[in-house]
Amino acid sequence: MCRETDEGAVPALEVCHSLRRSIPAGGCPATVHSVFDRAVNLVTPLGLVTLLPKCRPLYPFSVRIDTDIPFPALGLRPDMSAMLLPGEASAGMLHVDLTNALDTDLSVLERKELIVPPDLSDRLERLAGVIGEEGKPEGMAPLVFHLEEGSSADYAERFPHNHYTAFLLPRVRRLFDALHTGQIVEISAAAGAMAGCGPGLTPSSDDFLCGMMAAMLARGGARGRALRTMDITQRMGCAARVKTNVISGSFLIRSSQGLLSADVLDTVGQLFSNGPTQSLESAASRVITFGETSGTDILSGIYFGAKI
C-alpha cells in the first residue's frame, strides 16, 4: 500500500532532524545510488540520504515514508536523477511530501539524561544475554564470549570463533589497547585496519565499529566528556570510511558524529540509565533483528564500547 496526498505525493511520516535542517532553501540535486526492497539510497552534497518504508526505524539522514511497497516496484533504479527540497524529496516518479513529517532528533549528544549507572556491569551482562540467546554467530559476536577473561561461558560453544573474528582478533586488540592508552594516531590506524571485513552489505566489522562509537559517545555524554569522545570517534569513523563501501562508510561517519538509528539510540539510552533492565533487553532485541548479522554486530560493538 502507498498512500498519496491530493497532489499525488507520498507523505513522509518521519524525517531525521539533522537532515531537515541541512537541506538548503534552494534544495540540492541528488542521484539514486542503490535500490532495495526496503531502502533507497541517494547520493547528495549532504552525504548519503535514505528513503525508508514505514516498517523500518528512522536512520540518520533518512526519511520514513507512508508505504510498504518494495521500492523497485515503484520504478526506482540506480543512477536516476533525484532532488531534495525543504518540503519534498523526489526520485523518478516518486514524490515524497516532507511538510507534515515528524521531526526526530537522532543525536545521542542531545540525550542529556544519560548516566553511568551503578549496575552497568549487570546491564552489560543482560546485553550479552540477548546476543547469546537471539544473535547470529557468523559475524563479530564470538568476541563477546571469548575475548575477555571471565566472559560468559554459557554461550561460548554456540559462538565459536569464525574466520572473520580469527582474522580480526589482533586488530580488535590493537584498537582496544590504543583506546585505553589514548594513542590518537594509533586509534585511527587500528580502526582503519578493522574496516570492511565480514559478511553483509555493511560488513560485520563496520557494524561493530558503529556500535562501539555509539556506546563510547553515550558514555562520554554521561560523564560530561561528549566533545572529547567525539574527537576520538570522528577520527575512527574517517579512518574506517575509506576502507569500505559507500553505504557502510556513511553509517560509520554518522555514528562517529553521534547520529544513530532510532533503535540503537533507544538501546544505548536504556543502557546508560537507571531504567528497568527489561527495557534494555527489549530495545536490544529490536536492534538484533536488523539484517542477517548487522544487528548482532552492532550490539557486540555496543557491549565493548560501553567499557571504554
Side-chain angles (χ1 to χ4, degrees), residues 114-224:
L114 296 178
I115 62 167
V116 179
D119 64 341
L120 180 59
S121 295
D122 178 61
R123 289 172 179 272
L124 288 172
E125 283 303 306
R126 297 293 187 106
L127 184 61
V130 173
I131 296 170
E133 291 292 332
E134 304 174 34
K136 303 288 182 62
E138 294 84 1
M140 303 293 284
L143 296 177
V144 174
F145 307 110
H146 293 280
L147 187 60
E148 300 173 312
E149 286 189 21
S151 296
S152 173
D154 295 344
Y155 304 105
E157 186 174 343
R158 183 177 168 234
F159 288 83
H161 272 301
N162 54 57
H163 54 284
Y164 298 114
T165 54
F167 172 76
L168 286 167
L169 183 58
R171 301 175 186 225
V172 172
R173 290 191 185 280
R174 177 187 177 190
L175 176 60
F176 289 177
D177 288 345
L179 285 166
H180 283 298
T181 56
Q183 302 174 64
I184 297 298
V185 174
E186 180 67 3
I187 289 169
S188 298
M194 279 184 60
C197 182
L201 177 64
T202 53
S204 288
S205 63
D206 298 353
D207 290 325
F208 181 86
L209 286 169
C210 285
M212 271 195 71
M213 293 186 292
M216 288 169 61
L217 286 165
R219 180 166 184 148
R223 300 173 68 194

Side-chain angles (χ1 to χ4, degrees), residues 31-36 40-42 71-82 91-93:
T31 303
V32 176
H33 173 272
S34 47
V35 181
F36 305 96
V40 176
N41 295 303
L42 308 177
F71 285 113
L74 298 176
L76 298 175
R77 63 180 187 274
D79 300 322
M80 274 185 163
S81 295
M93 298 299 292

Side-chain angles (χ1 to χ4, degrees), residues 235-250:
R235 291 171 186 268
M236 290 171 61
C238 287
R241 178 181 64 171
V242 298
K243 299 296 183 66
T244 190
N245 64 64
V246 171
I247 295 173
S248 196
S250 178

